[in-house]
Amino acid sequence: GAGVSQSPRYKVAKRGQDVALRCDPISGHVSLFWYQQALGQGPEFLTYFQNEAQLDKSGLPSDRFFAERPEGSVSTLKIQRTQQEDSAVYLCASSLGWGTEFSEQYFGPGTRLTVT
Amino acid sequence: SQQGEEDPQALSIQEGENATMNCSYKTSINNLQWYRQNSGRGLVHLILIRSNEREKHSGRLRVTLDTSKKSSSLLITASRAADTASYFCATRGGYFGNEKLTFGTGTRLTIIP
């Protein structure tokens, strides 16, 4: 079956530009997560949604980062006025729900963002 | 910030040998998971162990959890070239509604054919 998809796979932005990264979760998955992964590091949590509700955005590094999931399915992570330190791979993941038995997260291939 | 650390940071072994990597974390957890990441398949879930479990097996994988020491280990037996990847432990917090995963720093495993 279809997994989590993300687009674009690669994005090069000039410093100061706005970017929008898209995530299509697995159909029927209630929870959706965004992570940021710097080179050589583990993923770091940014934000997560349960259906359309954004329940935790504690990992967003600044108010330049904004995420939405208006209909409880597709999500968009937007970064305004990109800076060089935003260069990273942005991973999206989804899971069935919040019980322990649903904890496994399914990750997309990521969007590699390079800010020049 | 990363929840914890894994060691070793990098490990190279001969094909057929066993590989052991360790993970430490800092706060109470609901469960601990191990993920594998390589360029071909991205980040893939391997195994989950709950906070009230001490050991779990899945195929060639064996995971242990010691909540008193806040540590876990992943053993891969009879390694294969295809096991070459980075391995991350990830913890899910202990309080209700906290679904996010907090990842460790990862171990880069290289299997030498």
Side-chain angles (χ1 to χ4, degrees), chain A residues 31 37 48 50 98 100 103, chain B residues 30-31 35 37 92 97 99:
Chain A
S31 299
Q37 187 174 23
Y48 102 90
Q50 202 169 91
W98 55 265
T100 299
S103 275
Chain B
N30 175 284
N31 64 67
Y35 285 79
Q37 185 175 42
R92 184 181 146 183
E99 290 188 62

Side-chain angles (χ1 to χ4, degrees), chain B residues 5-99:
Chain B
E5 297 187 355
E6 291 169 67
D7 81 274
Q9 287 189 332
L11 178 62
S12 291
I13 60 172
Q14 295 287 332
E15 193 168 16
E17 293 181 339
N18 296 341
T20 300
M21 51 205 90
N22 304 294
C23 163
S24 62
Y25 59 92
K26 296 174 183 168
T27 59
S28 66
I29 63 171
N30 175 284
N31 64 67
L32 184 145
Q33 305 174 37
W34 285 88
Y35 285 79
R36 179 181 65 211
Q37 185 175 42
N38 59 33
S39 57
R41 291 197 60 198
L43 202 63
V44 174
H45 180 269
L46 295 176
I47 193 166
L48 179 154
I49 186 165
R50 299 174 188 229
S51 60
N52 61 355
E53 296 177 312
R54 292 296 166 256
E55 187 171 312
K56 201 156 184 185
H57 297 254
S58 176
R60 294 185 296 113
L61 305 180
R62 172 178 168 254
V63 170
T64 61
L65 178 65
D66 186 335
T67 53
S68 66
K69 294 181 180 176
K70 291 188 168 56
S71 67
S72 174
S73 68
L74 172 68
L75 168 68
I76 304 173
T77 60
S79 63
R80 305 168 182 169
D83 295 329
T84 293
S86 290
Y87 291 80
F88 296 92
C89 67
T91 53
R92 184 181 146 183
Y95 57 91
F96 177 80
N98 179 12
E99 290 188 62

